């Protein structure tokens, strides 16, 4: 068993630290306490662990789901026992970006910007958060699926920013949760051909079961030929780069038609050299996708509930919180499953 009074944060390069995480007997007004069922390990957590860059404690384990165990004064629409998933904050309405009407870029929508932010994230048994930081999870969405609401919403945000037209050809780089969700949504949005590119055979097979029309390893010479054949030599209309890799950005640029869209979704955490002339030569639209908005979390939960985002075939590895140091050491060598979940009761 794991002590309910401990949580784990990323304290530096290949370093995890435990901090006190006792659930408050009486939550602050407007706050709730969530008893966590599962926390997904994000690739950003692993990158922070590997590289040791500054990482706010609340980000260490930001893909959590669970049950409300206590409610503070003034909370409406939620009750003890409700199943919930983590979201981002609503826009504050007062920061510079909100005052300029760019609510999706609010400077205070992260839990880490709040003065009442907890000293840890979801690598714990309990987490106290503002009630606005959670969204109800219907019984039709499992806790395993609830733990991927956050990364799935990253894909929702990206596809809303670069939505395929009916008949388009879309290429998705990266077969993690974000990429596998993006390919499902691109197909639903009207893409006639969706191609998944990933170096792992198991993830390519999984992509095929989720609707990818073709799957390729990045070094497969058939990739370029297939895109050309499907598009009458024009090239793909949209590329979703969900791997955060220089090689994927370069190959994606090659695959795009003149005037196509390159959507950068993955996050490289180190400097990379790029060749903008390749973008200019095709006059492609290079766009970026910054996480998500509060409303998009609710949309993601609805899409999961309706089966528009499938999770049944995803591979989940469940490990205990007591194993977390070994889990991080293992994951930096490569993840065997699409998503590793932490069970805080173990």
């Amino acid at each position: 068993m794991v002590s309910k009074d401990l949580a784990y944060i990323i304290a530096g390069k290949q370093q995890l630290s435990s901090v006190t995480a006792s659930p408050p007997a009486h939550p602050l007004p407007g706050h709730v306490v969530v008893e966590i069922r599962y926390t997904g390990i994000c690739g950003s957590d692993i990158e922070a662990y590997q590289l040791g860059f500054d990482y706010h404690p609340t980000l260490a384990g930001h893909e959590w789901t669970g049950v409300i165990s206590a409610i503070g004064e003034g909370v409406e629409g939620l009750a003890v026992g409700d199943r919930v998933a983590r979201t981002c904050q609503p826009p504050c309405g007062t920061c510079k970006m909100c005052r300029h009407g760019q609510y999706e870029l609010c400077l205070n929508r992260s839990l880490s910007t709040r003065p009442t932010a907890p000293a840890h994230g979801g690598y714990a048994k309990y987490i106290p958060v503002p009630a606005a930081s959670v969204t109800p999870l219907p019984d039709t969405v499992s806790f395993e699926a609830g733990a991927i609401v956050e990364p799935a919403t990253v894909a929702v945000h990206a596809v809303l920013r670069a939505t395929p037209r009916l008949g388009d050809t879309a290429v998705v780089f990266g077969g993690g949760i974000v990429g596998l969700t993006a390919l499902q949504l691109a197909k639903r949005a009207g893409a006639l051909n969706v191609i998944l590119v990933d170096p792992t055979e198991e993830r390519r097979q999984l992509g095929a079961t989720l609707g990818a029309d073709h799957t390729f390893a990045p070094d497969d010479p058939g990739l370029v030929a297939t895109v050309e054949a499907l598009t009458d030599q024009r090239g793909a209309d949209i590329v979703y780069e969900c791997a955060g890799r220089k090689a994927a950005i370069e190959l994606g640029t090659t695959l795009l038609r003149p005037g196509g869209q390159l959507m950068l979704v993955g996050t490289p955490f180190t400097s990379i050299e790029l060749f903008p002339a390749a973008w200019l030569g095709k006059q492609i639209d290079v766009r970026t996708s910054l996480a998500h908005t509060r409303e998009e979390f609710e949309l993601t939960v609805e899409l999961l509930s309706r089966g528009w985002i499938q999770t049944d075939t995803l591979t989940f590895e469940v490990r205990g919180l007591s194993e977390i140091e070994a889990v991080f050491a293992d994951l930096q060598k490569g993840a065997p499953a699409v998503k590793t979940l932490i069970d805080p009761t173990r």
Side-chain angles (χ1 to χ4, degrees):
M1 297 294 289
V2 178
S3 170
K4 68 178 181 180
D5 297 324
L6 287 181
Y8 291 86
I9 63 172
I10 298 167
K13 187 173 183 178
Q14 298 188 339
Q15 182 181 357
L16 297 174
S17 293
S18 60
V19 297
T20 300
S22 301
H26 303 287
L28 293 171
H31 286 60
V32 298
V33 176
V34 177
E35 182 179 358
I36 295 174
R37 294 298 174 86
Y38 291 115
T39 298
I41 298 182
C42 178
S44 299
D45 288 4
I46 300 302
E47 292 276 4
Y49 175 79
Q50 285 180 312
L51 301 175
F53 55 77
D54 189 31
Y55 204 60
H56 195 278
T58 61
L59 293 176
H62 55 267
E63 300 177 359
W64 46 262
T65 185
V67 175
I68 293 178
S69 61
I71 285 186
E73 182 181 349
V75 173
E76 297 180 355
L78 295 170
V80 171
D82 281 356
R83 305 166 77 252
V84 296
R86 175 258 177 181
T87 75
C88 64
Q89 299 285 328
C92 69
T94 59
C95 72
K96 292 181 180 179
M97 302 311 295
C98 286
R99 292 201 305 271
H100 282 80
Q102 293 182 282
Y103 299 104
E104 74 281 6
L105 297 176
C106 172
L107 301 176
N108 298 313
R109 64 179 177 162
S110 171
L111 177 61
S112 64
T113 65
R114 302 287 158 153
T116 59
H120 58 85
Y123 299 133
K125 288 195 70 174
Y126 294 88
I127 187 167
V129 293
S133 293
V134 303
T135 189
L137 201 64
D139 292 339
T140 50
V141 178
S142 69
F143 280 121
E144 289 86 353
I148 67 163
V149 165
E150 193 278 336
T153 307
V154 171
V156 168
H157 185 70
V159 175
L160 286 173
R161 281 181 57 76
T163 305
R165 297 172 302 177
L166 190 65
D168 274 358
T169 292
V171 180
V172 178
F173 282 86
I177 293 293
V178 175
L180 293 174
T181 303
L183 81 83
Q184 294 180 70
L185 296 174
K187 196 75 173 178
R188 288 277 187 179
L192 185 63
N193 303 296
V194 178
I195 300 168
L196 175 67
V197 183
D198 191 277
T200 308
E201 172 64 24
E202 292 78 8
R203 295 194 179 198
R204 295 197 297 272
Q205 292 177 354
L206 183 54
T209 68
L210 292 172
D213 299 284
H214 303 273
T215 65
F216 292 95
D219 58 355
D220 189 329
L223 172 58
V224 175
T226 297
V227 171
E228 291 180 346
L230 291 171
T231 62
D232 193 25
Q233 310 301 311
R234 295 189 312 276
D237 299 286
I238 299 179
V239 167
Y240 298 100
E241 199 293 294
C242 303
R245 297 289 182 265
K246 172 188 176 183
I249 296 173
E250 292 175 338
L251 181 53
T253 300
T254 299
L255 295 175
L256 277 170
R257 65 169 173 81
Q261 295 184 75
L262 175 61
M263 174 54 72
L264 302 179
V265 189
T267 306
F269 285 96
T270 56
S271 298
I272 59 175
E273 292 185 0
L274 296 172
F275 189 53
W279 299 343
L280 295 168
K282 288 186 173 183
Q283 194 175 292
I284 64 173
D285 184 4
V286 181
R287 308 192 72 188
T288 60
S289 182
L290 176 62
H292 30 52
T293 68
R294 177 65 174 78
E295 294 76 15
E296 288 164 351
F297 277 91
E298 296 172 2
L299 174 58
T300 299
V301 170
E302 182 67 22
L303 294 173
L304 284 164
S305 180
R306 293 187 179 212
W308 282 36
I309 299 174
Q310 292 287 333
T311 63
D312 292 346
T313 59
L314 299 181
T315 52
F316 295 101
E317 178 190 35
V318 180
R319 303 282 294 272
L321 185 60
S322 60
E323 306 174 76
I324 194 164
E325 293 185 87
V327 172
F328 268 71
D330 290 344
L331 287 179
Q332 68 174 337
K333 302 171 187 174
V338 171
K339 178 60 68 174
T340 298
L341 304 180
I342 294 296
D343 179 350
T345 67
R346 294 166 46 186

